[in-house]
Amino acid sequence: MSIRTLDDLLAEGVSGRRVLVRADLNVPLDKQTGDITDDGRIRAVLPTLGALVEAGAKVVVCSHLGRPKGAPDPQFSLRPVAGRLGELLGSRVHFATDTVGESARAAVEALADGEVALLENLRFNKGETSKDDAERGAFADQLAALGDAYVDDAFGAVHRKHASVHDVPARLPHVAGRLVLREVEVLSKLTGEPERPYVVVLGGSKVSDKLAVIEALLPTVDRLLIGGGMCFTFLKAQGHEVGSSLLEEEMVATCRNLLERSGNKILLPVDVVAADAFAPDAAHDTVPADGIPSKRVGLDIGPETVAGFAAALKGARTIFWNGPMGVFEMPAFAHGTRGVAEAIAKAEAFTVVGGGDSAAAVRALGLDESAFGHISTGGGASLEYLEGKTLPGIAALEN
């Protein structure tokens, strides 16, 4: 790849210039209070924003939040993010109540050198996510008019062919921000010649969501550890009953084929925590993976599985983890995710946490983020990169 970087832009000089930064500020909000519950994605873009502020740029930040339907929706407003971003930067962040309208133009026009404005949610505009090139392009024209240069630091969105990610770079001088550059460098190590043994841990709900990355990784990894809701479809493929656990019946044959092709690469749970119901206070106990009672639902991997996974991880030199091992949001079913995460953190290896729920779990469980080599901000983007797909946002940055 040939991508110009933030340092290239800074070397040219940005003082007094309007720099449009596509960030990924899609943070979780408390449904009751509207408060930010995890500001990890905001903190991830600070190195890029701080460098631009210090260099005297007029910084115009844009992002999406949630999935509004192409029109303003107060529950998805970025206003709370503007407040938190200002706290982290140590200076006020001006907030525009629209994206490309009168408020946005006024906010950008009023910026002094070294100041920051945040535009309202990009997805309040149909053109941002439109599949129609002309509609998307028209919105990109309006967005690009607010900047003299463009920085993409939203790795979590680079797999989307959206106006702010794919079309705006064609209209402005463009570079990769520090976060995007770091993400690409890290993931390139995994797709190149990773130091071995190379162990991948996959969890999450559905096999269908991870099938493409399993297919891509299976020839290259030394061990593939599978937990989370997706493990039950594999257990079913082995001929085991899984009770009322999450099951993709249509994927059983595919999983059976993967197990046959993998040799001994794929490691599945040997015990699970099975509950009477999907509820935080449900009665539960640990049962063998081949003995899940018919009316029980598996909500976590068991302690023997944690020990087995930890043993497989101990000697690894490269580790990639994507997806929790159980319903970690419920304390009773968080032990598997915690145990595997701690084993990854202790391994003398290059460790990558593949964003999404895995990154959320690290923070929610109070684990030391510095114990991991890299925590990605883009779950879907990191998986598609490992699958070998062309990511629209990265392609748009290439010279």
Side-chain angles (χ1 to χ4, degrees):
M1 291 187 301
S2 177
I3 296 178
R4 297 181 71 243
T5 70
L6 179 66
D7 288 338
D8 295 323
L9 181 63
L10 293 172
E12 295 168 1
V14 294
S15 181
R17 296 175 68 190
R18 301 170 305 161
V19 179
L20 181 66
V21 179
R22 176 49 161 107
D24 179 9
L25 306 177
N26 184 27
V27 295
L29 301 175
D30 185 287
K31 291 182 179 179
Q32 271 26 110
T33 66
D35 294 336
I36 296 167
T37 58
D38 181 355
D39 66 0
R41 283 178 171 157
I42 304 176
R43 288 186 284 113
V45 77
L46 292 179
T48 288
L49 297 184
L52 289 167
V53 166
E54 188 176 342
K58 298 177 178 181
V59 184
V60 184
V61 183
C62 60
S63 177
H64 72 285
L65 192 153
R67 295 186 177 182
K69 306 298 183 182
D73 185 337
Q75 68 175 315
F76 296 117
S77 175
L78 280 166
R79 187 180 289 278
V81 175
R84 181 57 179 150
L85 181 58
E87 291 172 1
L88 292 170
L89 286 173
S91 59
R92 180 193 171 197
V93 170
H94 304 269
F95 182 66
T97 56
D98 57 31
T99 308
V100 292
E102 184 177 333
S103 178
R105 291 191 294 271
V108 174
E109 183 67 28
L111 285 177
D113 295 359
E115 289 190 336
V116 179
L118 175 62
L119 308 179
E120 185 54 286
N121 196 331
L122 288 163
R123 293 186 183 176
F124 285 0
N125 304 265
K126 289 182 179 179
E128 167 66 1
T129 60
S130 176
K131 296 191 184 327
D132 181 84
D133 290 348
E135 184 176 23
R136 209 176 55 249
F139 179 59
D141 287 340
Q142 293 177 289
L143 201 53
L146 300 175
D148 302 308
Y150 170 85
V151 178
D152 189 346
D153 215 27
F155 183 74
V158 294
H159 60 315
R160 306 295 188 192
K161 191 177 180 181
H162 291 170
S164 64
V165 175
H166 177 264
D167 300 279
V168 171
R171 291 156 169 78
L172 290 172
H174 49 272
V175 302
R178 289 187 173 155
L179 173 62
V180 164
L181 192 64
R182 170 67 176 158
E183 295 270 16
V184 171
E185 288 174 344
V186 166
L187 293 173
S188 293
K189 290 184 180 180
L190 301 182
T191 55
E193 294 293 333
E195 193 174 351
R196 296 185 180 280
Y198 176 23
V199 179
V200 170
V201 185
L202 293 180
S205 301
K206 296 180 178 180
V207 177
S208 54
D209 291 342
K210 304 284 172 72
L211 179 60
V213 78
I214 292 172
E215 293 275 12
L217 289 172
L218 206 50
T220 64
V221 303
D222 296 295
R223 296 305 299 272
L224 178 58
L225 319 182
I226 294 179
M230 62 188 290
C231 78
F232 299 106
T233 304
F234 278 94
L235 291 172
K236 183 74 171 180
Q238 287 185 320
H240 306 315
E241 291 303 318
V242 296
S244 56
S245 305
L246 185 63
L247 175 66
E248 289 183 282
E249 193 72 55
E250 70 282 4
M251 296 297 296
V252 171
T254 300
C255 289
R256 188 178 298 117
N257 178 261
L258 288 169
L259 289 168
E260 290 171 355
R261 287 161 44 200
S262 72
N264 67 345
K265 282 187 178 182
I266 293 179
L267 191 60
L268 295 174
V270 294
D271 61 345
V272 302
V273 179
D276 286 344
F278 188 91
D281 58 351
H284 60 276
D285 52 23
T286 302
V287 300
D290 60 358
I292 302 173
S294 61
K295 294 184 179 180
R296 287 209 158 193
V297 54
L299 297 182
D300 196 10
I301 59 173
E304 284 189 40
T305 301
V306 172
F309 282 11
L313 291 162
K314 187 175 182 180
R317 298 298 296 161
T318 304
I319 298 171
F320 175 75
W321 168 38
N322 180 279
M325 298 293 98
V327 188
F328 73 91
E329 298 90 345
M330 301 178 187
F333 311 110
H335 301 295
T337 301
R338 178 183 293 279
V340 169
E342 289 176 344
I344 293 170
K346 291 175 184 175
E348 294 181 5
F350 176 62
T351 57
V352 179
V353 179
D357 287 341
S358 307
V362 168
R363 291 188 279 268
L365 297 175
L367 302 173
D368 182 4
E369 293 182 48
S370 66
F372 302 90
H374 179 71
I375 299 179
S376 178
T377 55
S382 63
L383 289 179
E384 290 195 16
Y385 191 98
L386 294 182
E387 289 168 27
K389 288 186 177 180
T390 297
L391 306 184
I394 300 299
L397 294 175
E398 291 178 352
N399 292 332

